[in-house]
Amino acid sequence: MEHAILPAWALLAYLASGVLFILALRGLSSPASSRAGNRYGMVGMGLAVATTLLTQAPIPPGDWWPRPGPADLVILAKILAAIALGAVIGLTTARKIQMTAMPQLVAAFHSLVGLAAVLVGLAAYLNPPAFGILLPSGAINPDSRIEMGLGIAIGAITFSGSIIAFLKLNGNMSGAPILLPARHLINLGTLLAILLLVARFTVDESLWVIAAITALSFVIGFLLIVPIGGADMPVVVSMLNSYSGWAAAAMGFTLHNTAMIITGALVGSSGAILSYIMCKAMNRSFISVIAGGFGAAAGTGSGDPREQRPWKRGSAEDAAFLLKEAENVIIIPGYGMAVAQAQHVLREMGDLLKAEGVSVKYAIHPVAGRMPGHMNVLLAEANVPYDEVFELEDIQGEFAQCDVAFVIGANDVVNPAAKTDKSSPIYGMPVFDVEKAKTIMFIKRSMGGVGYAGVDNDVFYMDQTMMLLADAKKMVEDIVKSLQH
Amino acid sequence: MDFISILSIFVMACFVGYYVVWSVTPALHTPLMAVTNAISSVIIVGALVAGAAHGDAARAAASSWLGLCAITLASINIFGGFAVTARMLAMYKSKKKG
């Protein structure tokens, strides 16, 4: 086992960068400490990169500092150019991206981590001595082959899966699930084939084995995500986040690098926990999300055909009057609000109400956006202070004392059918108790469309409900105008 | 380092990750994903090793080019991920009193 012997300071530096990454995540426990956390992350990354660069030039035996030759400097120039290219692309993207497009961006970034893992794995296969995984016999260390094989497989799945998630989130591909016949059989077969190939790789290091692992893993990543509907994308993005971590960890095992192993474990757990939170918020099991197909049968709903029931329509003036008279208002924004770009004018409405002495709070459902925490970012962008924004369990008890529940661009997350109707596809999903509020205002484009899950909502037809039928942004603008009079 | 030491670090780090991530406030889950994405690009360490390797043989040269490509991909992620996280975190403001 000829592992590259690194000087002690380098090993400590990698450990320190692992610890800095832990601090980066720790900082996110509150918005106040988060910015410092992000800087810890940057320092950790800088440290890891600098350490690696310094230890790549030959270090004479017994010495602890590298002695680069001219060839090393040429290589260093190439590497710095590669980093600079990535920096320009990365920084430009980060500056330009719209906050509503954050899920796509994250999916795209995951795909890059996946592809980088594949490339690193293949590079290690082609040049094992550089990675210190060559046995004296001239073969690659079998332990490293397992790690390499798994790293490449997970990386390739992350890559192609994230590409599909990106295309679905970005609207280049329909959010509807694409269901192949016998897909479970095909998927399980492919996964089994990959595992067998990884096993085979430990005894046979020919190129075709590693090529087949790579190719099949690309295919399975595609097959796994294609049948998953748009509504489940928050889970998928979190899951791919987790995979990108496991891929980094597998490569860390190959390189015996503590920074990579710690980071891989952190990111892997983070993605797994976020997937779990999202599944719970939708009352869906992880297995059923992975199996896919949700959203394919939209509209079959609760079984009974939608009869015409009486409902009340309100105007912006009515809404403004009631809001001004209220003491407590809870605003429940959904993704429809973000699509209509109504968050800025909504905050303006909130400010006007606060000036009238009304208490205004925002209630966020975990699946309100297209990825975990997405709605919080959108509200923060519109300058809504984060201490006016509450999570489901923190605000649930306040609806009984609430004068106006203002639902904008949300539907399923306020549907009482989730609590009462066992036949409903959203049954069991935690929802806001808006029906306890004295008045419910529901902004909706028309009475036709019914949410992501395709279920009718009893709240529309309740006595205390006022339907405000219009484009969300237009309606809130009109309310703001009335409030200003 | 032997396999068991490495595995121990990995298992311990999984537990640390578990507890640290549960303490992240749900309001910051999107920045969490962006920053985990940035730090998972620590895979650049492997890419640098590959990219920095000397090699005249065709396989070693190919390996070094793969490494350079991976360096660029990982850098996009590192710079983009940290920058977009910083941009999001800068937007979170507390209620101003007075």
Side-chain angles (χ1 to χ4, degrees):
Chain A
M1 282 223 227
E2 263 313 295
H3 247 282
I5 310 292
L6 291 175
W9 67 263
L11 298 175
L12 288 174
Y14 283 132
L15 182 61
S17 95
V19 172
L20 284 165
F21 291 148
I22 295 174
L23 293 176
L25 300 198
R26 182 77 189 103
L28 291 171
S29 56
S30 90
S33 59
S34 63
R35 286 172 277 260
N38 197 37
R39 282 193 291 275
Y40 287 134
M42 294 183 205
V43 173
M45 187 61 75
L47 188 59
V49 170
T51 308
T52 314
L53 281 178
L54 281 174
T55 49
Q56 283 318 297
I59 302 173
D63 204 348
W64 58 282
W65 200 252
R67 305 261 176 253
D72 295 306
L73 295 177
V74 173
I75 287 171
L76 183 66
K78 278 194 210 167
I79 288 176
L80 292 180
I83 293 179
L85 177 63
V88 170
I89 301 174
L91 290 175
T92 328
T93 317
R95 194 165 309 131
K96 283 196 188 146
I97 195 79
Q98 299 241 312
M99 288 300 146
T100 40
M102 199 51 68
Q104 293 92 301
L105 180 76
V106 168
F109 278 168
H110 288 159
S111 75
L112 298 182
V113 180
L115 189 56
V118 173
L119 295 181
V120 172
L122 292 177
Y125 170 76
L126 289 173
N127 193 2
F131 286 77
I133 51 174
L134 199 64
L135 293 176
S137 65
I140 302 176
N141 181 0
D143 290 354
S144 307
R145 287 189 229 167
I146 300 183
E147 295 148 9
M148 198 192 291
L150 287 177
I152 289 177
I154 302 171
I157 293 173
T158 311
F159 172 71
S160 53
S162 300
I163 295 281
I164 301 299
F166 171 83
L167 292 174
K168 287 199 175 200
L169 286 162
N170 205 32
N172 305 98
M173 196 172 151
S174 156
I178 299 167
L179 302 175
L180 296 172
R183 65 202 153 88
H184 296 311
L185 211 63
I186 298 174
N187 291 355
L188 288 176
T190 317
L191 280 177
L192 192 67
I194 293 172
L195 288 177
L196 289 174
L197 281 166
V198 172
R200 160 114 204 167
F201 189 51
T202 58
V203 289
D204 171 11
E205 54 171 90
S206 13
L207 183 64
W208 75 266
V209 185
I210 197 89
I213 293 174
T214 315
L216 279 181
S217 304
F218 279 133
V219 172
I220 189 74
F222 175 81
L223 290 177
L224 281 174
I225 309 302
V226 153
I228 303 180
D232 284 338
M233 276 306 134
V235 182
V236 170
V237 174
S238 316
M239 189 181 83
L240 292 167
N241 184 233
S242 180
Y243 288 180
S244 69
W246 303 131
M251 286 302 152
F253 273 97
T254 311
L255 279 167
H256 287 196
N257 182 297
T258 40
M260 285 168 89
I261 292 171
I262 294 176
T263 314
L266 289 179
V267 178
S269 339
S270 166
I273 290 173
L274 291 176
S275 314
Y276 168 80
I277 293 174
M278 287 293 111
C279 283
K280 214 170 139 231
M282 296 192 289
N283 190 41
R284 312 246 294 117
S285 78
F286 191 65
I287 298 294
S288 70
V289 171
I290 299 301
F294 189 66
T300 51
S302 49
D304 55 306
R306 290 176 63 204
E307 78 267 42
Q308 291 292 321
R309 287 192 273 172
W311 48 277
K312 272 186 301 214
R313 180 169 188 161
S315 69
E317 290 76 27
D318 304 335
F321 178 77
L322 281 172
L323 284 167
K324 214 187 280 192
E325 298 297 305
E327 268 179 51
N328 294 301
V329 173
I330 299 178
I331 299 176
I332 299 127
Y335 196 67
M337 178 215 66
V339 172
Q341 287 291 322
Q343 56 269 45
H344 294 274
V345 64
L346 185 68
R347 195 257 311 149
E348 208 180 313
M349 184 186 95
D351 286 349
L352 286 170
L353 290 175
K354 278 191 277 176
E356 299 277 344
V358 182
S359 144
V360 178
K361 288 178 178 172
Y362 295 81
I364 309 263
H365 194 275
V367 295
R370 282 291 171 273
M371 70 186 285
H374 192 196
M375 189 55 67
N376 301 77
V377 176
L378 294 171
L379 291 179
E381 190 193 17
N383 283 322
V384 173
Y386 60 79
D387 28 22
E388 286 175 10
V389 180
F390 295 87
E391 305 300 322
L392 175 68
E393 58 269 33
D394 298 327
I395 200 160
Q396 189 67 299
E398 296 187 27
F399 282 100
Q401 290 85 45
C402 156
D403 298 301
V404 179
F406 191 87
V407 186
I408 170 166
N411 187 352
D412 295 336
V413 299
V414 296
N415 193 338
K419 290 181 280 190
T420 51
D421 181 2
K422 284 206 164 100
S423 66
S424 169
I426 59 168
Y427 180 73
M429 178 171 128
V431 291
F432 292 113
D433 294 337
V434 283
E435 67 277 6
K436 290 187 182 158
K438 285 200 196 77
T439 303
I440 305 162
M441 294 184 188
F442 214 118
I443 300 193
K444 221 170 156 323
R445 195 175 280 277
S446 70
M447 287 303 282
V450 277
Y452 229 51
V455 206
D456 203 1
N457 192 338
D458 283 339
V459 169
F460 301 159
Y461 313 103
M462 292 170 76
D463 282 343
Q464 75 265 44
T465 304
M466 177 192 273
M467 297 302 296
L468 303 167
L469 300 185
D471 170 71
K473 189 176 179 187
K474 179 81 179 51
M475 176 53 76
V476 181
E477 276 168 359
D478 289 347
I479 295 176
V480 165
K481 266 183 221 140
S482 304
L483 283 173
Q484 280 163 337
H485 286 306
Chain B
M1 266 189 292
D2 58 304
F3 180 75
I4 292 299
S5 319
I6 299 208
L7 188 66
S8 317
I9 297 175
F10 177 70
V11 172
M12 292 298 147
C14 285
F15 277 93
V16 172
Y18 180 85
Y19 289 106
V20 169
V21 171
W22 273 115
S23 77
V24 171
T25 166
L28 292 175
H29 277 164
T30 296
L32 171 68
M33 285 187 101
V35 84
T36 51
N37 182 73
I39 66 173
S40 64
S41 307
V42 73
I43 196 137
I44 196 172
V45 167
L48 289 168
V49 170
H54 297 261
D56 305 316
R59 280 165 77 103
S63 165
S64 139
W65 280 109
L66 289 177
L68 286 172
C69 292
I71 291 172
T72 303
L73 295 178
S75 306
I76 296 178
N77 246 320
I78 292 172
F79 286 92
F82 281 123
V84 88
T85 308
R87 201 179 130 199
M88 280 191 273
L89 293 177
M91 298 186 311
Y92 282 81
K93 288 183 196 83
S94 174
K95 211 177 330 195
K96 277 186 215 106
K97 291 276 172 201

